[in-house]
Amino acid sequence: MKKTMASNLDCKIVPLGKRRDGGTRYWCLNHRADATAKYGVEAASCRYAHVPEVTPEEERLITLTEFPFGVAFWGAVPPIYDTSVMPIDRGIHVHARKEEQGEKSIDQTYRRVKLRKSPQDSELFEISELDAIYYMISSIFGYEMAEVRCTVCDYSHLDKDWFSLHPHHRHLCSGCGNYFRHPENTVGNPLVGLQKALRHVPSNPTPSKLILDINQVNYPGGIQIWGSNPAIFWTNPKAEESGIHVHLFDDNGQIISEMDNTYGKVIIDGIELDSNDVRMYMAQSILPHIKGRTQSIYCTQCNKPHTSKGENAFTPSESHECDTCGATFRMKGRKRKVISNSIVDQLKKLSQLAPRSPQTFELGLLPETI
């Protein structure tokens, strides 16, 4: 076994047959990742060897019966706009309530969550950070997921990056590294299996009716903005709401709890944000295969801002159809294939008006493409 730099788990690399070019394909069984170097030789370490192991502080055991007033999980990624000094947020965000009124018992993000029904229940269900993040991405773009199990080793398969948005039959198992076929054309995510095992029906969020109209100067501790996305798991008696989730911080850097909410309408410094644009950009900005391809572009006929929709929202293109006048126009220049989202220029304007420059985060998801 080969010791890795960042992980306390050694790589366990095995050969998995020949590639088309005559080289050998290698797979790491411990990190569940490709370990093939150039020319089909064994790599010094696999491509996930640098990812640190989950520490006890980054993991949480949740017992459902301990929170009678609701448990909820979401895929957590950094805000699309963040002028606070808070650390990066990624993984599984957890809300849990023991009492109907008052503060949440849990309001935190973890890299791994273990779930059981009651203290007496020996069966544990696990949610990993990548499962949760890609559940969020597939949900935002409207793709239904399924539990896809490897026909070789029975490992529950997760489709990442490009594959999380393109239903397909042939899958590369991250458990054993073998290719297998699933009878349905689908996107695989292990969390669908968890939902079925717990007989959980995903919630259907209702649009929030709350309105937020603020100026950044009144919140010197900063603001954070996310798009809402459907919860992986939701047992709160109240309906889940959709919209734009905002955190506001006071001059001591403390979150203003009474304004920690999801809003149906958000206006900041006179700029109104579109919840669909915010939601899509949250996914667009972290997908590895389209990194750096999202920008705000304007129709060459009517000069109105354009937002790519449908498959064009995650597929860079040089041809675009204007939302406003219907004209078709083409991009020019070296980087012609792009995705357009009007939120990009709106965030640039907000950053110019902010008391503090926005933070930028690199989530570091690895590309997975054909």
Side-chain angles (χ1 to χ4, degrees):
M1 292 189 186
K2 301 180 179 181
K3 195 70 176 178
T4 66
M5 294 293 290
S7 173
N8 58 14
L9 186 66
D10 294 329
C11 281
K12 183 180 180 181
I13 300 174
V14 297
L16 286 177
K18 294 294 183 180
R19 306 191 312 177
R20 291 180 179 178
D21 62 1
T24 302
R25 191 165 62 87
Y26 293 90
W27 194 261
C28 175
L29 298 177
N30 281 345
H31 298 108
R32 305 185 189 280
D34 182 65
T36 311
K38 194 174 181 180
Y39 306 121
V41 299
E42 182 179 344
S45 60
C46 75
R47 66 197 304 258
Y48 273 92
H50 69 285
V51 179
E53 289 295 299
V54 178
T55 65
E57 295 76 21
E58 296 172 321
E59 180 179 284
R60 183 70 184 248
L61 172 63
I62 303 291
T63 303
L64 294 179
T65 55
E66 293 180 358
F67 303 98
F69 289 95
V71 172
F73 307 129
W74 294 268
V77 296
I80 66 162
Y81 184 78
D82 186 356
T83 57
S84 75
V85 293
M86 301 298 289
I88 188 172
D89 195 40
R90 65 170 287 170
I92 309 108
H93 191 70
V94 180
H95 284 180
R97 291 183 183 273
K98 291 184 176 181
E99 300 176 359
E100 187 173 9
Q101 304 297 328
E103 296 292 321
K104 303 180 188 77
S105 303
I106 304 175
D107 185 359
Q108 198 167 334
T109 300
Y110 302 93
R111 289 185 62 201
R112 181 164 60 210
V113 168
K114 292 184 177 179
L115 185 66
R116 63 183 177 183
K117 296 177 183 178
S118 68
Q120 295 77 33
D121 201 333
S122 60
E123 186 175 16
L124 286 178
F125 301 94
E126 185 174 300
I127 303 174
S128 78
E129 58 182 337
L130 288 182
D131 292 347
I133 289 171
Y134 280 108
Y135 185 96
M136 177 270 292
I137 289 173
S138 298
S139 297
I140 283 177
F141 290 110
Y143 283 94
E144 289 190 13
M145 292 154 276
E147 183 180 27
V148 174
R149 304 197 75 91
C150 175
T151 56
V152 179
C153 70
D154 199 42
Y155 189 75
S156 187
H157 177 67
L158 172 66
D159 280 312
K160 302 185 285 287
D161 194 22
W162 188 94
F163 298 99
S164 69
L165 299 172
H166 295 83
H168 50 289
H169 287 282
R170 188 170 183 258
H171 302 265
L172 173 62
C173 176
S174 55
C176 65
N178 287 289
Y179 287 100
F180 68 97
R181 290 188 67 82
H182 186 74
E184 296 179 4
N185 201 33
T186 190
V187 170
N189 193 301
L191 297 182
V192 177
L194 177 147
Q195 292 170 339
K196 288 181 178 178
L198 294 173
R199 297 182 180 178
H200 174 72
V201 179
S203 64
N204 186 19
T206 59
S208 172
K209 296 180 180 179
L210 295 177
I211 298 174
L212 182 69
D213 190 347
I214 61 170
N215 292 316
Q216 293 184 86
V217 69
N218 295 325
Y219 301 95
I223 67 174
Q224 296 176 317
I225 301 171
W226 293 267
S228 67
N229 60 95
I232 298 163
F233 197 80
W234 177 276
T235 64
N236 194 312
K238 295 181 180 179
E240 184 182 1
E241 293 185 325
S242 63
I244 300 173
H245 194 76
V246 181
H247 285 176
L248 303 171
F249 297 84
D250 61 23
D251 53 4
N252 294 317
Q254 299 297 311
I255 191 169
I256 303 173
S257 58
E258 63 269 23
M259 300 183 75
D260 177 3
N261 248 315
T262 298
Y263 298 87
K265 185 176 183 179
V266 173
I267 304 170
I268 303 175
D269 293 324
I271 299 172
E272 183 172 350
L273 307 181
D274 181 274
S275 60
N276 288 325
D277 290 351
V278 172
R279 188 178 299 113
M280 283 195 298
Y281 188 62
M282 188 171 68
Q284 290 165 340
S285 59
I286 63 170
L287 274 166
H289 77 283
I290 57 172
K291 183 179 179 180
R293 292 286 176 176
T294 306
Q295 63 185 60
S296 291
I297 63 176
Y298 299 81
C299 175
T300 56
Q301 299 296 316
C302 66
N303 203 36
K304 296 293 184 181
H306 171 67
T307 294
S308 302
K309 294 180 173 63
E311 291 189 11
N312 291 327
F314 54 83
T315 307
S317 174
E318 60 182 282
S319 179
H320 302 268
E321 184 177 337
C322 177
D323 302 331
T324 305
C325 69
T328 298
F329 60 98
R330 302 181 72 85
M331 296 296 295
K332 298 179 180 180
R334 187 174 61 86
K335 189 185 285 189
R336 294 189 296 274
K337 291 187 176 182
V338 298
I339 297 164
S340 184
N341 192 327
S342 59
I343 196 71
V344 177
D345 276 0
Q346 287 183 319
L347 295 180
K348 289 178 182 178
K349 292 176 182 177
L350 287 180
S351 67
Q352 294 169 356
L353 301 169
R356 182 192 295 114
S357 296
Q359 298 190 82
T360 57
F361 298 104
E362 187 62 52
L363 202 55
L365 299 181
L366 297 181
E368 305 276 351
T369 58
I370 55 174

